[in-house]
PDB file of all heavy atoms in Angstrom:
ATOM      1  N   VAL A   8      22.311  -8.883  -9.885  1.00 43.00           N
ATOM      2  CA  VAL A   8      21.011  -9.525  -9.832  1.00 43.00           C
ATOM      3  C   VAL A   8      20.508  -9.739 -11.243  1.00 43.00           C
ATOM      4  O   VAL A   8      20.477  -8.821 -12.053  1.00 43.00           O
ATOM      5  CB  VAL A   8      20.029  -8.656  -9.038  1.00 43.00           C
ATOM      6  CG1 VAL A   8      18.659  -9.289  -9.029  1.00 43.00           C
ATOM      7  CG2 VAL A   8      20.537  -8.441  -7.642  1.00 43.00           C
ATOM      8  N   ALA A   9      20.130 -10.951 -11.528  1.00 47.00           N
ATOM      9  CA  ALA A   9      19.705 -11.268 -12.887  1.00 47.00           C
ATOM     10  C   ALA A   9      18.475 -10.471 -13.253  1.00 47.00           C
ATOM     11  O   ALA A   9      17.577 -10.302 -12.455  1.00 47.00           O
ATOM     12  CB  ALA A   9      19.430 -12.762 -13.002  1.00 47.00           C
ATOM     13  N   GLN A  10      18.433  -9.991 -14.479  1.00 46.00           N
ATOM     14  CA  GLN A  10      17.293  -9.232 -14.960  1.00 46.00           C
ATOM     15  C   GLN A  10      16.544 -10.074 -15.965  1.00 46.00           C
ATOM     16  O   GLN A  10      17.130 -10.715 -16.836  1.00 46.00           O
ATOM     17  CB  GLN A  10      17.752  -7.929 -15.626  1.00 46.00           C
ATOM     18  CG  GLN A  10      18.521  -7.020 -14.674  1.00 46.00           C
ATOM     19  CD  GLN A  10      19.028  -5.792 -15.387  1.00 46.00           C
ATOM     20  OE1 GLN A  10      19.075  -5.759 -16.607  1.00 46.00           O
ATOM     21  NE2 GLN A  10      19.397  -4.796 -14.618  1.00 46.00           N
ATOM     22  N   GLN A  11      15.212 -10.041 -15.852  1.00 43.00           N
ATOM     23  CA  GLN A  11      14.391 -10.844 -16.750  1.00 43.00           C
ATOM     24  C   GLN A  11      13.588  -9.910 -17.644  1.00 43.00           C
ATOM     25  O   GLN A  11      12.916  -9.014 -17.181  1.00 43.00           O
ATOM     26  CB  GLN A  11      13.446 -11.736 -15.928  1.00 43.00           C
ATOM     27  CG  GLN A  11      12.736 -12.755 -16.790  1.00 43.00           C
ATOM     28  CD  GLN A  11      11.990 -13.765 -15.931  1.00 43.00           C
ATOM     29  OE1 GLN A  11      11.875 -13.592 -14.742  1.00 43.00           O
ATOM     30  NE2 GLN A  11      11.485 -14.788 -16.553  1.00 43.00           N
ATOM     31  N   ASP A  12      13.695 -10.124 -18.953  1.00 46.00           N
ATOM     32  CA  ASP A  12      12.961  -9.324 -19.920  1.00 46.00           C
ATOM     33  C   ASP A  12      11.932 -10.215 -20.600  1.00 46.00           C
ATOM     34  O   ASP A  12      12.229 -11.336 -21.002  1.00 46.00           O
ATOM     35  CB  ASP A  12      13.903  -8.748 -20.986  1.00 46.00           C
ATOM     36  CG  ASP A  12      14.982  -7.879 -20.356  1.00 46.00           C
ATOM     37  OD1 ASP A  12      14.680  -7.252 -19.337  1.00 46.00           O
ATOM     38  OD2 ASP A  12      16.102  -7.853 -20.897  1.00 46.00           O
ATOM     39  N   VAL A  13      10.741  -9.672 -20.725  1.00 40.00           N
ATOM     40  CA  VAL A  13       9.683 -10.439 -21.375  1.00 40.00           C
ATOM     41  C   VAL A  13       9.222  -9.689 -22.608  1.00 40.00           C
ATOM     42  O   VAL A  13       8.886  -8.509 -22.540  1.00 40.00           O
ATOM     43  CB  VAL A  13       8.494 -10.654 -20.410  1.00 40.00           C
ATOM     44  CG1 VAL A  13       7.398 -11.437 -21.096  1.00 40.00           C
ATOM     45  CG2 VAL A  13       8.958 -11.364 -19.158  1.00 40.00           C
ATOM     46  N   ASN A  14       9.202 -10.372 -23.750  1.00 43.00           N
ATOM     47  CA  ASN A  14       8.769  -9.778 -25.006  1.00 43.00           C
ATOM     48  C   ASN A  14       7.660 -10.654 -25.571  1.00 43.00           C
ATOM     49  O   ASN A  14       7.795 -11.872 -25.613  1.00 43.00           O
ATOM     50  CB  ASN A  14       9.950  -9.700 -25.988  1.00 43.00           C
ATOM     51  CG  ASN A  14       9.598  -8.906 -27.228  1.00 43.00           C
ATOM     52  OD1 ASN A  14       8.633  -9.210 -27.916  1.00 43.00           O
ATOM     53  ND2 ASN A  14      10.417  -7.914 -27.518  1.00 43.00           N
ATOM     54  N   PRO A  15       6.564 -10.072 -25.995  1.00 39.00           N
ATOM     55  CA  PRO A  15       5.469 -10.888 -26.474  1.00 39.00           C
ATOM     56  C   PRO A  15       5.861 -11.803 -27.608  1.00 39.00           C
ATOM     57  O   PRO A  15       5.267 -12.854 -27.811  1.00 39.00           O
ATOM     58  CB  PRO A  15       4.437  -9.847 -26.940  1.00 39.00           C
ATOM     59  CG  PRO A  15       4.788  -8.587 -26.181  1.00 39.00           C
ATOM     60  CD  PRO A  15       6.254  -8.631 -26.023  1.00 39.00           C
ATOM     61  N   SER A  16       6.863 -11.412 -28.360  1.00 41.00           N
ATOM     62  CA  SER A  16       7.217 -12.194 -29.542  1.00 41.00           C
ATOM     63  C   SER A  16       8.314 -13.204 -29.287  1.00 41.00           C
ATOM     64  O   SER A  16       8.707 -13.930 -30.169  1.00 41.00           O
ATOM     65  CB  SER A  16       7.673 -11.236 -30.667  1.00 41.00           C
ATOM     66  OG  SER A  16       8.818 -10.520 -30.244  1.00 41.00           O
ATOM     67  N   MET A  17       8.838 -13.218 -28.059  1.00 43.00           N
ATOM     68  CA  MET A  17       9.911 -14.163 -27.778  1.00 43.00           C
ATOM     69  C   MET A  17       9.829 -14.603 -26.329  1.00 43.00           C
ATOM     70  O   MET A  17       9.176 -13.978 -25.509  1.00 43.00           O
ATOM     71  CB  MET A  17      11.284 -13.536 -28.074  1.00 43.00           C
ATOM     72  CG  MET A  17      11.583 -12.294 -27.235  1.00 43.00           C
ATOM     73  SD  MET A  17      13.155 -11.509 -27.635  1.00 43.00           S
ATOM     74  CE  MET A  17      14.283 -12.784 -27.163  1.00 43.00           C
ATOM     75  N   SER A  18      10.476 -15.721 -26.010  1.00 51.00           N
ATOM     76  CA  SER A  18      10.453 -16.229 -24.647  1.00 51.00           C
ATOM     77  C   SER A  18      11.269 -15.324 -23.739  1.00 51.00           C
ATOM     78  O   SER A  18      12.096 -14.549 -24.194  1.00 51.00           O
ATOM     79  CB  SER A  18      11.022 -17.658 -24.618  1.00 51.00           C
ATOM     80  OG  SER A  18      12.347 -17.661 -25.103  1.00 51.00           O
ATOM     81  N   SER A  19      11.037 -15.417 -22.445  1.00 74.00           N
ATOM     82  CA  SER A  19      11.733 -14.569 -21.478  1.00 74.00           C
ATOM     83  C   SER A  19      13.213 -14.919 -21.453  1.00 74.00           C
ATOM     84  O   SER A  19      13.607 -16.065 -21.672  1.00 74.00           O
ATOM     85  CB  SER A  19      11.127 -14.765 -20.091  1.00 74.00           C
ATOM     86  OG  SER A  19      11.282 -16.107 -19.680  1.00 74.00           O
ATOM     87  N   VAL A  20      14.030 -13.911 -21.179  1.00 78.00           N
ATOM     88  CA  VAL A  20      15.472 -14.113 -21.088  1.00 78.00           C
ATOM     89  C   VAL A  20      15.956 -13.553 -19.759  1.00 78.00           C
ATOM     90  O   VAL A  20      15.345 -12.664 -19.178  1.00 78.00           O
ATOM     91  CB  VAL A  20      16.219 -13.425 -22.253  1.00 78.00           C
ATOM     92  CG1 VAL A  20      15.828 -14.038 -23.567  1.00 78.00           C
ATOM     93  CG2 VAL A  20      15.958 -11.924 -22.242  1.00 78.00           C
ATOM     94  N   THR A  21      17.071 -14.097 -19.277  1.00 79.00           N
ATOM     95  CA  THR A  21      17.668 -13.646 -18.026  1.00 79.00           C
ATOM     96  C   THR A  21      19.123 -13.308 -18.270  1.00 79.00           C
ATOM     97  O   THR A  21      19.831 -14.070 -18.931  1.00 79.00           O
ATOM     98  CB  THR A  21      17.565 -14.741 -16.951  1.00 79.00           C
ATOM     99  OG1 THR A  21      16.226 -15.196 -16.873  1.00 79.00           O
ATOM    100  CG2 THR A  21      17.990 -14.206 -15.601  1.00 79.00           C
ATOM    101  N   ARG A  22      19.545 -12.167 -17.765  1.00 81.00           N
ATOM    102  CA  ARG A  22      20.926 -11.729 -17.939  1.00 81.00           C
ATOM    103  C   ARG A  22      21.697 -11.878 -16.632  1.00 81.00           C
ATOM    104  O   ARG A  22      21.173 -11.582 -15.561  1.00 81.00           O
ATOM    105  CB  ARG A  22      20.966 -10.280 -18.432  1.00 81.00           C
ATOM    106  CG  ARG A  22      20.389 -10.104 -19.827  1.00 81.00           C
ATOM    107  CD  ARG A  22      20.592  -8.688 -20.349  1.00 81.00           C
ATOM    108  NE  ARG A  22      20.137  -8.573 -21.721  1.00 81.00           N
ATOM    109  CZ  ARG A  22      18.896  -8.271 -22.073  1.00 81.00           C
ATOM    110  NH1 ARG A  22      17.989  -8.037 -21.134  1.00 81.00           N
ATOM    111  NH2 ARG A  22      18.544  -8.197 -23.340  1.00 81.00           N
ATOM    112  N   LEU A  23      22.947 -12.314 -16.763  1.00 79.00           N
ATOM    113  CA  LEU A  23      23.801 -12.548 -15.607  1.00 79.00           C
ATOM    114  C   LEU A  23      25.177 -11.979 -15.886  1.00 79.00           C
ATOM    115  O   LEU A  23      25.700 -12.121 -16.994  1.00 79.00           O
ATOM    116  CB  LEU A  23      23.895 -14.070 -15.345  1.00 79.00           C
ATOM    117  CG  LEU A  23      24.430 -14.528 -14.002  1.00 79.00           C
ATOM    118  CD1 LEU A  23      23.497 -14.119 -12.886  1.00 79.00           C
ATOM    119  CD2 LEU A  23      24.598 -16.041 -14.008  1.00 79.00           C
ATOM    120  N   SER A  24      25.772 -11.324 -14.897  1.00 80.00           N
ATOM    121  CA  SER A  24      27.113 -10.752 -15.035  1.00 80.00           C
ATOM    122  C   SER A  24      28.030 -11.397 -14.010  1.00 80.00           C
ATOM    123  O   SER A  24      27.749 -11.360 -12.809  1.00 80.00           O
ATOM    124  CB  SER A  24      27.064  -9.234 -14.830  1.00 80.00           C
ATOM    125  OG  SER A  24      28.364  -8.678 -14.956  1.00 80.00           O
ATOM    126  N   LEU A  25      29.139 -11.983 -14.489  1.00 82.00           N
ATOM    127  CA  LEU A  25      30.058 -12.703 -13.607  1.00 82.00           C
ATOM    128  C   LEU A  25      31.448 -12.067 -13.646  1.00 82.00           C
ATOM    129  O   LEU A  25      31.941 -11.709 -14.718  1.00 82.00           O
ATOM    130  CB  LEU A  25      30.181 -14.166 -14.037  1.00 82.00           C
ATOM    131  CG  LEU A  25      28.892 -14.989 -14.114  1.00 82.00           C
ATOM    132  CD1 LEU A  25      29.220 -16.409 -14.564  1.00 82.00           C
ATOM    133  CD2 LEU A  25      28.196 -15.008 -12.779  1.00 82.00           C
ATOM    134  N   PRO A  26      32.119 -11.951 -12.480  1.00 83.00           N
ATOM    135  CA  PRO A  26      33.504 -11.463 -12.450  1.00 83.00           C
ATOM    136  C   PRO A  26      34.472 -12.606 -12.757  1.00 83.00           C
ATOM    137  O   PRO A  26      34.460 -13.637 -12.085  1.00 83.00           O
ATOM    138  CB  PRO A  26      33.667 -10.976 -10.998  1.00 83.00           C
ATOM    139  CG  PRO A  26      32.710 -11.808 -10.212  1.00 83.00           C
ATOM    140  CD  PRO A  26      31.567 -12.149 -11.126  1.00 83.00           C
ATOM    141  N   VAL A  27      35.299 -12.434 -13.776  1.00 86.00           N
ATOM    142  CA  VAL A  27      36.213 -13.497 -14.211  1.00 86.00           C
ATOM    143  C   VAL A  27      37.652 -13.067 -13.939  1.00 86.00           C
ATOM    144  O   VAL A  27      38.062 -11.957 -14.298  1.00 86.00           O
ATOM    145  CB  VAL A  27      36.031 -13.806 -15.711  1.00 86.00           C
ATOM    146  CG1 VAL A  27      36.938 -14.953 -16.134  1.00 86.00           C
ATOM    147  CG2 VAL A  27      34.578 -14.143 -16.002  1.00 86.00           C
ATOM    148  N   GLU A  28      38.433 -13.941 -13.325  1.00 84.00           N
ATOM    149  CA  GLU A  28      39.837 -13.655 -13.023  1.00 84.00           C
ATOM    150  C   GLU A  28      40.745 -14.548 -13.849  1.00 84.00           C
ATOM    151  O   GLU A  28      40.374 -15.672 -14.198  1.00 84.00           O
ATOM    152  CB  GLU A  28      40.118 -13.863 -11.530  1.00 84.00           C
ATOM    153  CG  GLU A  28      39.427 -12.860 -10.626  1.00 84.00           C
ATOM    154  CD  GLU A  28      39.800 -13.082  -9.172  1.00 84.00           C
ATOM    155  OE1 GLU A  28      40.191 -14.205  -8.816  1.00 84.00           O
ATOM    156  OE2 GLU A  28      39.695 -12.126  -8.384  1.00 84.00           O
ATOM    157  N   GLY A  29      41.955 -14.041 -14.142  1.00 84.00           N
ATOM    158  CA  GLY A  29      42.963 -14.846 -14.837  1.00 84.00           C
ATOM    159  C   GLY A  29      43.098 -14.550 -16.305  1.00 84.00           C
ATOM    160  O   GLY A  29      43.990 -15.090 -16.972  1.00 84.00           O
ATOM    161  N   MET A  30      42.262 -13.693 -16.886  1.00 86.00           N
ATOM    162  CA  MET A  30      42.360 -13.367 -18.310  1.00 86.00           C
ATOM    163  C   MET A  30      43.482 -12.356 -18.541  1.00 86.00           C
ATOM    164  O   MET A  30      43.636 -11.400 -17.774  1.00 86.00           O
ATOM    165  CB  MET A  30      41.039 -12.795 -18.822  1.00 86.00           C
ATOM    166  CG  MET A  30      39.874 -13.755 -18.751  1.00 86.00           C
ATOM    167  SD  MET A  30      38.375 -13.096 -19.541  1.00 86.00           S
ATOM    168  CE  MET A  30      38.071 -11.628 -18.539  1.00 86.00           C
ATOM    169  N   THR A  31      44.274 -12.572 -19.608  1.00 86.00           N
ATOM    170  CA  THR A  31      45.405 -11.682 -19.882  1.00 86.00           C
ATOM    171  C   THR A  31      45.402 -11.107 -21.291  1.00 86.00           C
ATOM    172  O   THR A  31      46.107 -10.139 -21.568  1.00 86.00           O
ATOM    173  CB  THR A  31      46.730 -12.433 -19.662  1.00 86.00           C
ATOM    174  OG1 THR A  31      46.751 -13.591 -20.513  1.00 86.00           O
ATOM    175  CG2 THR A  31      46.880 -12.867 -18.210  1.00 86.00           C
ATOM    176  N   CYS A  32      44.614 -11.691 -22.198  1.00 88.00           N
ATOM    177  CA  CYS A  32      44.656 -11.238 -23.594  1.00 88.00           C
ATOM    178  C   CYS A  32      43.342 -11.555 -24.293  1.00 88.00           C
ATOM    179  O   CYS A  32      42.427 -12.143 -23.707  1.00 88.00           O
ATOM    180  CB  CYS A  32      45.821 -11.897 -24.328  1.00 88.00           C
ATOM    181  SG  CYS A  32      45.716 -13.705 -24.331  1.00 88.00           S
ATOM    182  N   ALA A  33      43.284 -11.186 -25.566  1.00 86.00           N
ATOM    183  CA  ALA A  33      42.057 -11.403 -26.346  1.00 86.00           C
ATOM    184  C   ALA A  33      41.740 -12.876 -26.520  1.00 86.00           C
ATOM    185  O   ALA A  33      40.564 -13.270 -26.606  1.00 86.00           O
ATOM    186  CB  ALA A  33      42.199 -10.732 -27.705  1.00 86.00           C
ATOM    187  N   SER A  34      42.781 -13.709 -26.580  1.00 86.00           N
ATOM    188  CA  SER A  34      42.523 -15.143 -26.738  1.00 86.00           C
ATOM    189  C   SER A  34      41.838 -15.713 -25.499  1.00 86.00           C
ATOM    190  O   SER A  34      41.011 -16.628 -25.598  1.00 86.00           O
ATOM    191  CB  SER A  34      43.832 -15.894 -27.009  1.00 86.00           C
ATOM    192  OG  SER A  34      44.722 -15.755 -25.917  1.00 86.00           O
ATOM    193  N   CYS A  35      42.169 -15.145 -24.332  1.00 88.00           N
ATOM    194  CA  CYS A  35      41.494 -15.572 -23.099  1.00 88.00           C
ATOM    195  C   CYS A  35      40.009 -15.239 -23.182  1.00 88.00           C
ATOM    196  O   CYS A  35      39.149 -16.036 -22.807  1.00 88.00           O
ATOM    197  CB  CYS A  35      42.104 -14.882 -21.879  1.00 88.00           C
ATOM    198  SG  CYS A  35      43.840 -15.267 -21.594  1.00 88.00           S
ATOM    199  N   VAL A  36      39.733 -14.048 -23.691  1.00 89.00           N
ATOM    200  CA  VAL A  36      38.341 -13.631 -23.847  1.00 89.00           C
ATOM    201  C   VAL A  36      37.597 -14.607 -24.748  1.00 89.00           C
ATOM    202  O   VAL A  36      36.476 -15.036 -24.465  1.00 89.00           O
ATOM    203  CB  VAL A  36      38.267 -12.203 -24.429  1.00 89.00           C
ATOM    204  CG1 VAL A  36      36.829 -11.841 -24.802  1.00 89.00           C
ATOM    205  CG2 VAL A  36      38.830 -11.199 -23.429  1.00 89.00           C
ATOM    206  N   GLY A  37      38.229 -14.976 -25.854  1.00 89.00           N
ATOM    207  CA  GLY A  37      37.610 -15.909 -26.791  1.00 89.00           C
ATOM    208  C   GLY A  37      37.331 -17.260 -26.156  1.00 89.00           C
ATOM    209  O   GLY A  37      36.274 -17.857 -26.389  1.00 89.00           O
ATOM    210  N   ARG A  38      38.293 -17.753 -25.370  1.00 89.00           N
ATOM    211  CA  ARG A  38      38.095 -19.055 -24.722  1.00 89.00           C
ATOM    212  C   ARG A  38      36.898 -19.023 -23.774  1.00 89.00           C
ATOM    213  O   ARG A  38      36.084 -19.949 -23.743  1.00 89.00           O
ATOM    214  CB  ARG A  38      39.360 -19.452 -23.956  1.00 89.00           C
ATOM    215  CG  ARG A  38      40.538 -19.802 -24.836  1.00 89.00           C
ATOM    216  CD  ARG A  38      41.657 -20.433 -24.023  1.00 89.00           C
ATOM    217  NE  ARG A  38      42.887 -20.500 -24.786  1.00 89.00           N
ATOM    218  CZ  ARG A  38      43.874 -19.596 -24.712  1.00 89.00           C
ATOM    219  NH1 ARG A  38      43.754 -18.561 -23.890  1.00 89.00           N
ATOM    220  NH2 ARG A  38      44.960 -19.723 -25.448  1.00 89.00           N
ATOM    221  N   VAL A  39      36.823 -17.962 -22.969  1.00 89.00           N
ATOM    222  CA  VAL A  39      35.722 -17.869 -22.007  1.00 89.00           C
ATOM    223  C   VAL A  39      34.384 -17.768 -22.733  1.00 89.00           C
ATOM    224  O   VAL A  39      33.402 -18.429 -22.357  1.00 89.00           O
ATOM    225  CB  VAL A  39      35.928 -16.660 -21.066  1.00 89.00           C
ATOM    226  CG1 VAL A  39      34.725 -16.489 -20.151  1.00 89.00           C
ATOM    227  CG2 VAL A  39      37.196 -16.836 -20.245  1.00 89.00           C
ATOM    228  N   GLU A  40      34.338 -16.964 -23.786  1.00 90.00           N
ATOM    229  CA  GLU A  40      33.082 -16.817 -24.530  1.00 90.00           C
ATOM    230  C   GLU A  40      32.654 -18.132 -25.153  1.00 90.00           C
ATOM    231  O   GLU A  40      31.467 -18.501 -25.104  1.00 90.00           O
ATOM    232  CB  GLU A  40      33.241 -15.740 -25.607  1.00 90.00           C
ATOM    233  CG  GLU A  40      33.300 -14.323 -25.048  1.00 90.00           C
ATOM    234  CD  GLU A  40      33.396 -13.289 -26.152  1.00 90.00           C
ATOM    235  OE1 GLU A  40      33.701 -13.680 -27.304  1.00 90.00           O
ATOM    236  OE2 GLU A  40      33.180 -12.094 -25.862  1.00 90.00           O
ATOM    237  N   ARG A  41      33.613 -18.863 -25.737  1.00 90.00           N
ATOM    238  CA  ARG A  41      33.262 -20.145 -26.356  1.00 90.00           C
ATOM    239  C   ARG A  41      32.762 -21.140 -25.305  1.00 90.00           C
ATOM    240  O   ARG A  41      31.804 -21.878 -25.547  1.00 90.00           O
ATOM    241  CB  ARG A  41      34.478 -20.716 -27.102  1.00 90.00           C
ATOM    242  CG  ARG A  41      34.766 -20.023 -28.433  1.00 90.00           C
ATOM    243  CD  ARG A  41      35.767 -20.822 -29.246  1.00 90.00           C
ATOM    244  NE  ARG A  41      37.069 -20.883 -28.591  1.00 90.00           N
ATOM    245  CZ  ARG A  41      38.035 -19.982 -28.721  1.00 90.00           C
ATOM    246  NH1 ARG A  41      37.830 -18.907 -29.497  1.00 90.00           N
ATOM    247  NH2 ARG A  41      39.194 -20.105 -28.105  1.00 90.00           N
ATOM    248  N   ALA A  42      33.418 -21.145 -24.151  1.00 90.00           N
ATOM    249  CA  ALA A  42      33.004 -22.066 -23.081  1.00 90.00           C
ATOM    250  C   ALA A  42      31.598 -21.739 -22.586  1.00 90.00           C
ATOM    251  O   ALA A  42      30.783 -22.641 -22.338  1.00 90.00           O
ATOM    252  CB  ALA A  42      33.997 -21.992 -21.914  1.00 90.00           C
ATOM    253  N   LEU A  43      31.297 -20.458 -22.467  1.00 90.00           N
ATOM    254  CA  LEU A  43      29.974 -20.059 -21.986  1.00 90.00           C
ATOM    255  C   LEU A  43      28.892 -20.367 -23.006  1.00 90.00           C
ATOM    256  O   LEU A  43      27.773 -20.755 -22.649  1.00 90.00           O
ATOM    257  CB  LEU A  43      29.971 -18.563 -21.647  1.00 90.00           C
ATOM    258  CG  LEU A  43      30.743 -18.163 -20.383  1.00 90.00           C
ATOM    259  CD1 LEU A  43      30.844 -16.654 -20.261  1.00 90.00           C
ATOM    260  CD2 LEU A  43      30.064 -18.745 -19.138  1.00 90.00           C
ATOM    261  N   LYS A  44      29.188 -20.199 -24.287  1.00 89.00           N
ATOM    262  CA  LYS A  44      28.184 -20.435 -25.318  1.00 89.00           C
ATOM    263  C   LYS A  44      27.813 -21.905 -25.441  1.00 89.00           C
ATOM    264  O   LYS A  44      26.767 -22.244 -26.000  1.00 89.00           O
ATOM    265  CB  LYS A  44      28.685 -19.904 -26.662  1.00 89.00           C
ATOM    266  CG  LYS A  44      28.701 -18.378 -26.731  1.00 89.00           C
ATOM    267  CD  LYS A  44      29.285 -17.868 -28.042  1.00 89.00           C
ATOM    268  CE  LYS A  44      29.310 -16.344 -28.068  1.00 89.00           C
ATOM    269  NZ  LYS A  44      29.920 -15.800 -29.308  1.00 89.00           N
ATOM    270  N   GLU A  45      28.674 -22.771 -24.916  1.00 88.00           N
ATOM    271  CA  GLU A  45      28.372 -24.199 -24.949  1.00 88.00           C
ATOM    272  C   GLU A  45      27.436 -24.622 -23.814  1.00 88.00           C
ATOM    273  O   GLU A  45      26.936 -25.741 -23.799  1.00 88.00           O
ATOM    274  CB  GLU A  45      29.669 -25.012 -24.868  1.00 88.00           C
ATOM    275  CG  GLU A  45      30.536 -24.881 -26.124  1.00 88.00           C
ATOM    276  CD  GLU A  45      31.850 -25.634 -25.995  1.00 88.00           C
ATOM    277  OE1 GLU A  45      32.066 -26.240 -24.912  1.00 88.00           O
ATOM    278  OE2 GLU A  45      32.641 -25.620 -26.945  1.00 88.00           O
ATOM    279  N   VAL A  46      27.218 -23.711 -22.842  1.00 88.00           N
ATOM    280  CA  VAL A  46      26.330 -24.034 -21.718  1.00 88.00           C
ATOM    281  C   VAL A  46      24.885 -24.070 -22.201  1.00 88.00           C
ATOM    282  O   VAL A  46      24.436 -23.184 -22.936  1.00 88.00           O
ATOM    283  CB  VAL A  46      26.493 -22.996 -20.585  1.00 88.00           C
ATOM    284  CG1 VAL A  46      25.493 -23.258 -19.468  1.00 88.00           C
ATOM    285  CG2 VAL A  46      27.915 -23.025 -20.052  1.00 88.00           C
ATOM    286  N   THR A  47      24.155 -25.068 -21.784  1.00 85.00           N
ATOM    287  CA  THR A  47      22.749 -25.204 -22.173  1.00 85.00           C
ATOM    288  C   THR A  47      21.942 -23.993 -21.699  1.00 85.00           C
ATOM    289  O   THR A  47      22.015 -23.618 -20.519  1.00 85.00           O
ATOM    290  CB  THR A  47      22.152 -26.483 -21.572  1.00 85.00           C
ATOM    291  OG1 THR A  47      22.925 -27.598 -21.991  1.00 85.00           O
ATOM    292  CG2 THR A  47      20.703 -26.668 -22.011  1.00 85.00           C
ATOM    293  N   GLY A  48      21.204 -23.392 -22.613  1.00 85.00           N
ATOM    294  CA  GLY A  48      20.350 -22.268 -22.248  1.00 85.00           C
ATOM    295  C   GLY A  48      20.967 -20.918 -22.480  1.00 85.00           C
ATOM    296  O   GLY A  48      20.284 -19.891 -22.405  1.00 85.00           O
TER     297      GLY A  48
END
């Protein structure tokens, strides 16, 4: 369940945890992280 944190000095943020299948090495981790960071928001 996404958690929302509110800080007076910054806008609210929401955290999400997803189960990912098919990763076998550190390069897989890097690919997934880069792909996620390109998502708007």
Side-chain angles (χ1 to χ4, degrees):
V8 178
Q10 300 176 344
Q11 190 171 9
D12 301 328
V13 179
N14 188 304
S16 61
M17 61 183 296
S18 59
S19 62
V20 296
T21 309
R22 294 187 175 88
L23 195 65
S24 180
L25 303 180
V27 183
E28 293 183 336
M30 297 186 299
T31 58
C32 59
S34 62
C35 298
V36 171
R38 290 191 193 96
V39 175
E40 288 183 345
R41 284 193 295 273
L43 288 172
K44 288 176 181 178
E45 291 177 359
V46 175
T47 303

